[in-house]
Amino acid sequence: MSANTKFDFQGLDHVALGCSDMKRTHDFYHGVLGMPVLHSIEYMGTAESGEQVPMGQHFFFGVGGDNPNAHIAFFYWKDGYQNAPDEKDGGPPPGVNPRAIKVGAMHHLNLRVAQDRIQEYCATLATEGVPYQHVTRYADPVWREVRTKDDYVPPEPGCLMDSVYFDDPDGIHLELNAWLPAWDTWPNDHQPWSRDEK
């Protein structure tokens, strides 16, 4: 087997999926299968009234092995897009959070890389003619993301994760990701939401 001379992948980091009920998903992966909850995130959105309201959750279930951060990631969105008819090319229905995905649909496939090489990998993607988006994430004082298209912006102090997103020729969404030390301080204590809750 020949070595990869372009990208030094450090293994599969996670697969991100959509679920219809985070509490039910939590009870299965954590309760039945015993996977630890490594981290959890709650997303806020703006209601028609302009008020900030809870919109979605993201839970990270650890799968063990040599990589302590390897996990299955699940997204849950409260707006009901999960139950909408399948629209292959149409995306989310009107009025639905644009980040929502369907139940069971793969959101993205994540490959772990070293953070000090992400800028190099962005340059490689650009050379190969592959459009990409560079994203850094922060949690202090509130959750925020810095997104740049076809450009690399170095992480600021306190960055939790450094990521590059791009698509394969069939539209499969890929992520190259490095977890920074601040990520270890991110909590895992959110209560999972049930789709029956409003």
Side-chain angles (χ1 to χ4, degrees):
M1 180 183 295
S2 59
N4 186 333
T5 59
K6 290 188 176 182
F7 292 85
D8 183 19
F9 297 123
Q10 299 176 351
L12 180 64
D13 189 273
H14 67 264
V15 175
L17 305 164
C19 70
S20 62
D21 186 311
M22 187 60 82
K23 184 171 188 323
R24 186 172 61 182
T25 296
H26 172 274
D27 291 350
F28 180 78
Y29 285 92
H30 180 64
V32 176
L33 299 183
M35 292 182 181
V37 177
L38 301 181
H39 300 287
S40 58
I41 298 170
E42 291 186 349
Y43 297 109
M44 302 298 286
T46 304
E48 291 182 9
S49 65
E51 178 186 7
Q52 287 290 298
V53 295
M55 295 293 290
Q57 290 188 311
H58 187 182
F59 272 61
F60 302 71
F61 298 96
V63 296
D66 294 336
N67 175 1
N69 286 313
H71 61 278
I72 301 173
F74 278 95
F75 289 90
Y76 167 67
W77 299 93
K78 295 181 79 170
D79 52 29
Y81 175 48
Q82 293 90 345
N83 300 319
D86 188 24
E87 298 177 15
K88 184 173 178 62
D89 299 316
V96 171
N97 188 309
R99 296 178 68 174
I101 58 174
K102 295 190 187 310
V103 171
M106 184 175 78
H107 187 271
H108 63 266
L109 178 68
N110 182 301
L111 297 165
R112 175 171 286 227
V113 297
Q115 193 280 324
D116 62 3
R117 299 194 67 185
I118 286 185
Q119 183 174 12
E120 170 192 343
Y121 296 152
C122 288
T124 300
L125 291 170
T127 299
E128 295 289 342
V130 177
Y132 66 89
Q133 186 174 66
H134 179 236
V135 182
T136 53
R137 296 176 173 91
Y138 306 85
D140 187 16
V142 296
W143 183 267
R144 69 183 175 95
E145 299 177 351
V146 176
R147 295 177 174 266
T148 55
K149 184 171 173 47
D150 296 325
D151 193 16
Y152 173 83
V153 176
E156 303 167 19
C159 182
L160 301 173
M161 60 184 101
D162 194 0
S163 302
V164 182
Y165 294 93
F166 55 98
D167 293 340
D168 83 350
D170 288 317
I172 295 173
H173 205 40
L174 301 170
E175 176 186 4
L176 308 182
N177 174 256
W179 302 99
L180 280 71
W183 179 248
D184 292 335
T185 66
W186 187 252
N188 64 351
D189 57 356
H190 292 100
Q191 293 301 309
W193 297 340
S194 167
R195 66 181 174 184
D196 296 326
E197 297 173 358
K198 299 297 179 188

